[in-house]
Amino acid sequence: MIKFIIKGILRDRSKSIIPICVISLGVFITVFMTGFVKGVLSEMLTTNANLDTGHVKVMTKPYYENKDQIPIDLALLELSSITQDLVSKFPDISWVPRIKFGGILDVPDASGETIIQGPGLGLGINLFDTSKGEIERLSLKKSLISGSIPKEPNEILLSHDFSKKLNIKPGREVTFFGSTMEGSMVFETFIMSGTIRFGNPVLDRSTFIIDFTMAQKILDMGDGTGELLGYFKTNFYEDSKALKAEYAFNETYKKSEDEFAPLMVSLRNQNDLGTTIDLVGSFGSIFVSIFVIAMSMVLWNTGLIGGLRRYQEFGIRLAIGESKNHVYFLLLLESFIIGLIGSFIGTFFGILSCYYMQETGIDIQDALSNSAVIFPTVLKAKVTNDLFLIGFIPGLLAMFFGSSLAGRGIFKRSTARLFKELEV
Amino acid sequence: MNREIINLKNLSKSYNIAGKPFYALKEVNLSFVEGEFTGIVGPSGSGKTTLLNIIGSLDSPSGGEAIVLEKNISSLNHSESARLRNYNIGFIFQVFNLLPVYTVYENVEFALLLQNFSQDERKKLVLQALEWVGLENHKDKKPDKLSGGESQRVAIARAIVKKPKILLADEPTANLDAENAHSILKTMKKINKELGTTFIFSTHDEKVMKYLNRTIILKDGNIEKETKK
Ligand SMILES: Nc1ncnc2c1ncn2[C@@H]1O[C@H](COP(=O)(O)OP(=O)(O)O)[C@@H](O)[C@H]1O
Ligand SMILES: [Mg+2]
């Protein structure tokens, strides 16, 4: 019987091709949008994590509270022992220190007179210890516009925009003016090695990068750092793990009298990223729910799976002695098969498009030029495992709901009514 | 004397129309024996379809009893009444009700799918049924390629392919011209004779009358007159 019914469906386009198209389209949109939005959101998390927040970040409490002022005077001391402690407590996280500091870059002429100067945001990162992976993390090589990445401690890397503002090219000497951790004056001469563009307006405005150890030295920080960033060795942010680490670490310092006690803050609790994380998690389900409802309505209302045309067949089948239950069961089975086919097609194209969008992406750099948040400049989809499944939920459910609604007619009407409707 | 296979006792069917009961059938008493060729004759709205649907257990009575092949129609559940139809009752409708996507052969075969026939048995039965109605050469056509008379023949073949005891035909000639109507009736008469199938028709078609062995005239849900040949 089922073979017979399927044969009939395949021969009747309005019963097969059109519902399959509707399902495929819905599944396609679900898969693609989910992949795209999740891609963008998780890219946003990755960008934030790499450029700023880490997966978790350890600072002193007052530093955290005043972090907008880049307060190196509130730095975290005894970096080596804290790092050691962290490594043993959280073996699946790797730790890298960074120093953020403010100051002025001054471009002198041959006689040492200032030609031009401008305030900048300094970033001391591990440029020479490749095991720390900072060059990859900040994708310095990819972002390089001119010159090269510093090879010597006295070399400095400028954001391209900043270098244009100062009107200098690689090879040029610049002097950094600032203050040490203790508040004394610093001036140190660097040689500009190259320029980079992060693709992020916040960082591109006036960032300059020097080596971490050099920063420690000139800012007189001893064995200290502004921030200590932790990254899961898997390279993926795992919210629950991060929160657990955050809780466990902070618990040990809860009773500490030291007002400069270290504090761990997870990515979730930085830069208002909590909502983004929640959205990444729930976006799929939100989208799926909307589509299940919308598509069931479309399928049912257009009568693609029910309707009078179908009732003729049901009527005949009842007349030849098929039971209502059996008719209903086959209707559901049949919609399951159509749903399955549609889901396969939709998922296939959805993933294909996501894959394409993962490789190319949409460049929104221009639209972002005034943005104050760290946001990826290229919107990319992300092909994840769950994308392979997510389309089947609306695909199958919509067909199922639609059929259930349509099939209710079999039971609601008395058998005789079904026949009366045939007598048009 | 042939066995009685249908017995209707004080059978009533009422519908609620604007809060008041409306009787489509009023206390009908009738019985049918095996091998009858009977017509229920009456104008439109007289209750013919209602009567046939109850006999075929597509509908249930609101009063009285309908005993069909020793089964009380009112007491059957969905699957029991489906079973009764599956094994014992064939239907022919006024509109031909062929499934447009299937061939003639498949439309007839459809009726056999609920029973456990092997493919070979099905083939034999279907070809035999098509032969009875003279359509063996049209078996691969789709219904839209058939004339009205041919379509109704397919419907007859579908109804008799299972060799049911009872064949219910609701105005089978209403949509046919005279020539086709006569030829359909001859076919049914032949089947009635050869297979012993009990035929119950509804009709208000004069042409049908002369073929009937027994005529029951229905008016406003009552039996007005009954004649036997
Ligand atoms: N479902 C229903 N609801 C209300 N009235 C109905 C229903 N079915 C049939 N009737 C009424 O019952 C009467 C008999 O109908 P029917 O058996 O179809 O007559 P016939 O087949 O002789 O034309 C008609 O007056 C019809 O309007
Ligand atoms: Mg009628």
Side-chain angles (χ1 to χ4, degrees):
Chain A
M1 189 90 185
I2 182 68
K3 239 168 75 187
F4 211 76
I5 304 281
I6 298 284
K7 200 196 299 184
I9 294 168
L10 293 182
R11 286 192 202 158
D12 185 345
R13 280 169 189 223
S14 73
K15 273 193 233 156
S16 52
I17 309 285
I18 299 173
I20 286 176
C21 287
V22 173
I23 294 282
S24 304
L25 190 72
V27 169
F28 169 78
I29 295 172
T30 308
V31 170
F32 180 70
M33 285 308 285
T34 308
F36 189 66
V37 173
K38 276 190 161 187
V40 169
L41 292 180
S42 55
E43 186 67 23
M44 183 172 164
L45 294 182
T46 310
T47 311
N48 269 280
N50 287 342
L51 295 181
D52 185 28
T53 63
H55 292 152
V56 293
K57 191 195 271 186
V58 177
M59 302 149 277
T60 66
K61 213 170 181 169
Y63 182 98
Y64 174 62
E65 279 153 11
N66 299 290
K67 65 179 164 34
D68 294 338
Q69 297 155 31
I70 331 169
I72 52 164
D73 51 322
L74 305 174
L76 191 66
L77 301 176
E78 290 156 12
L79 175 61
S80 329
S81 69
I82 288 183
T83 309
Q84 230 165 47
D85 179 42
L86 285 167
V87 164
S88 69
K89 271 189 187 142
F90 307 107
D92 49 356
I93 302 178
S94 17
W95 300 94
V96 286
R98 282 184 196 168
I99 299 172
K100 280 187 197 160
F101 56 101
I104 289 167
L105 285 194
D106 182 287
V107 183
D109 64 11
S111 60
E113 294 293 314
T114 298
I115 302 170
I116 189 169
Q117 57 174 213
L121 174 72
L123 198 55
I125 62 168
N126 274 292
L127 286 172
F128 307 127
D129 181 354
T130 49
S131 73
K132 299 281 191 204
E134 288 281 76
I135 292 181
E136 292 76 30
R137 194 169 285 129
L138 294 167
S139 37
L140 293 184
K141 280 199 180 116
K142 260 196 244 158
S143 317
L144 204 63
I145 302 285
S146 64
S148 63
I149 293 165
K151 290 179 199 69
E152 302 293 333
N154 69 339
E155 287 185 323
I156 190 169
L157 194 60
L158 264 64
S159 83
H160 195 69
D161 295 352
F162 196 23
S163 79
K164 277 214 291 227
K165 207 155 66 190
L166 297 178
N167 197 17
I168 49 175
K169 297 226 154 54
R172 181 73 195 229
E173 270 188 7
V174 285
T175 309
F176 165 73
F177 286 99
S179 57
T180 66
M181 199 180 151
E182 307 296 343
S184 357
M185 288 284 287
V186 181
F187 41 96
E188 184 77 27
T189 301
F190 289 92
I191 295 164
M192 178 181 170
S193 72
T195 62
I196 57 163
R197 178 173 286 140
F198 291 100
N200 185 285
V202 187
L203 295 171
D204 279 336
R205 222 160 287 153
S206 59
T207 300
F208 57 93
I209 294 178
I210 60 171
D211 177 53
F212 175 75
T213 317
M214 187 67 178
Q216 263 185 335
K217 205 176 89 189
I218 62 170
L219 299 172
D220 209 7
M221 293 176 77
D223 184 26
T225 183
E227 309 174 347
L228 182 54
L229 280 65
Y231 291 93
F232 289 117
K233 287 180 178 159
T234 55
N235 257 332
F236 288 107
Y237 177 68
E238 290 161 83
D239 197 37
S240 59
K241 262 193 181 174
L243 290 175
K244 231 190 257 167
E246 180 187 67
Y247 179 80
F249 183 81
N250 294 340
E251 197 66 7
T252 56
Y253 289 94
K254 212 171 155 186
K255 294 199 187 76
S256 167
E257 300 278 289
D258 183 0
E259 75 171 294
F260 289 100
L263 180 76
M264 189 186 285
V265 186
S266 63
L267 181 147
R268 166 180 282 278
N269 293 323
Q270 297 179 62
N271 297 3
D272 295 323
L273 292 171
T275 359
T276 310
I277 294 168
D278 294 335
L279 215 54
V280 172
S282 58
F283 190 79
S285 3
I286 296 171
F287 226 80
V288 164
S289 316
I290 293 173
F291 263 83
V292 168
I293 295 166
M295 283 202 300
S296 328
M297 294 319 264
V298 168
L299 287 168
W300 175 45
N301 271 324
T302 50
L304 289 174
I305 45 182
L308 284 179
R309 281 158 49 75
R310 215 59 219 279
Y311 284 145
Q312 183 199 17
E313 180 198 317
F314 296 155
I316 293 167
R317 284 163 62 183
L318 292 170
I320 65 167
E322 196 173 340
S323 70
K324 286 186 175 185
N325 286 330
H326 198 254
V327 170
Y328 196 46
F329 168 74
L330 284 189
L331 177 66
L332 292 184
L333 185 65
E334 161 194 306
S335 58
F336 177 77
I337 294 168
I338 288 187
L340 207 62
I341 297 172
S343 301
F344 264 113
I345 299 174
T347 301
F348 177 76
F349 285 106
I351 295 216
L352 209 67
S353 314
C354 273
Y355 186 74
Y356 177 76
M357 284 301 288
Q358 179 175 284
E359 299 305 304
T360 55
I362 305 173
D363 198 326
I364 54 159
Q365 177 130 21
D366 295 340
L368 274 181
S369 54
N370 287 315
S371 159
V373 293
I374 299 179
F375 200 83
T377 48
V378 180
L379 300 184
K380 284 183 174 175
K382 192 173 171 203
V383 176
T384 52
N385 286 339
D386 54 350
L387 279 191
F388 286 89
L389 290 177
I390 207 154
F392 283 79
I393 302 170
L396 291 177
L397 281 188
M399 210 50 201
F400 233 74
F401 282 156
S403 289
S404 313
L405 289 172
R408 260 188 345 168
I410 303 173
F411 284 99
K412 234 176 49 189
R413 291 168 176 75
S414 72
T415 311
R417 288 278 306 153
L418 275 173
F419 285 90
K420 294 262 162 58
E421 274 164 43
L422 302 181
E423 293 176 11
V424 237
Chain B
M1 188 58 203
N2 279 343
R3 185 163 72 101
E4 180 189 83
I5 52 173
I6 298 168
N7 190 357
L8 311 177
K9 276 183 260 176
N10 296 326
L11 182 72
S12 298
K13 178 74 187 179
S14 63
Y15 296 105
N16 237 333
I17 289 176
K20 281 187 221 142
F22 166 81
Y23 282 87
L25 291 175
K26 265 174 267 175
E27 314 235 322
V28 171
N29 286 290
L30 269 178
S31 79
F32 299 86
V33 296
E34 217 166 2
E36 274 192 42
F37 200 78
T38 298
I40 317 263
V41 181
S44 186
S46 55
K48 303 181 297 293
T49 299
T50 308
L51 185 65
L52 291 182
N53 280 347
I54 290 175
I55 294 173
S57 83
L58 289 174
D59 210 345
S60 52
S62 17
E65 265 185 356
I67 312 287
V68 177
L69 295 165
E70 280 140 34
K71 300 228 161 48
N72 188 339
I73 297 296
S74 330
S75 65
L76 300 180
N77 63 26
H78 281 317
S79 55
E80 286 165 339
S81 68
R83 211 178 147 74
L84 177 67
R85 288 195 296 275
N86 186 11
Y87 287 94
N88 296 305
I89 299 173
F91 283 93
I92 298 167
F93 304 96
Q94 173 181 345
V95 283
F96 315 125
N97 266 331
L98 301 179
L99 297 173
V101 293
Y102 297 104
T103 63
V104 166
Y105 181 92
E106 288 164 338
N107 264 285
V108 177
E109 189 187 17
F110 204 84
L112 293 175
L113 292 173
L114 289 171
Q115 295 178 26
N116 290 325
F117 290 109
S118 72
Q119 182 144 10
D120 287 344
E121 284 170 316
R122 284 207 301 269
K123 190 166 178 183
K124 210 182 92 199
L125 289 168
V126 172
L127 293 178
Q128 197 180 45
L130 287 174
E131 207 177 310
W132 278 327
V133 298
L135 284 179
E136 58 277 36
N137 296 327
H138 294 57
K139 67 182 174 64
D140 295 323
K141 283 191 183 163
K142 290 274 175 68
D144 59 359
K145 296 279 183 304
L146 300 177
S147 70
E150 287 165 339
S151 298
Q152 195 58 306
R153 281 165 187 281
V154 178
I156 293 170
R158 183 178 63 199
I160 59 165
V161 69
K162 291 189 288 194
K163 303 193 179 139
K165 294 220 168 52
I166 302 167
L167 212 145
L168 303 171
D170 195 2
E171 309 205 27
T173 58
N175 288 351
L176 298 179
D177 59 32
E179 194 187 332
N180 272 310
H182 285 297
S183 123
I184 288 282
L185 276 155
K186 279 180 196 145
T187 305
M188 297 209 277
K189 192 93 197 187
K190 184 182 80 186
I191 291 164
N192 169 251
K193 280 212 181 99
E194 286 176 16
L195 297 178
T197 312
T198 309
F199 273 78
I200 304 174
F201 287 91
S202 77
T203 187
H204 56 242
D205 184 351
E206 292 295 327
K207 297 187 288 291
V208 174
M209 310 289 182
K210 67 172 187 187
Y211 293 91
L212 303 173
N213 298 341
R214 181 185 175 198
T215 308
I216 295 159
I217 300 191
L218 206 59
K219 205 182 162 198
D220 298 333
N222 289 305
I223 299 176
E224 204 177 53
K225 203 171 124 195
E226 205 189 316
T227 53
K228 268 186 195 172
K229 253 194 224 166

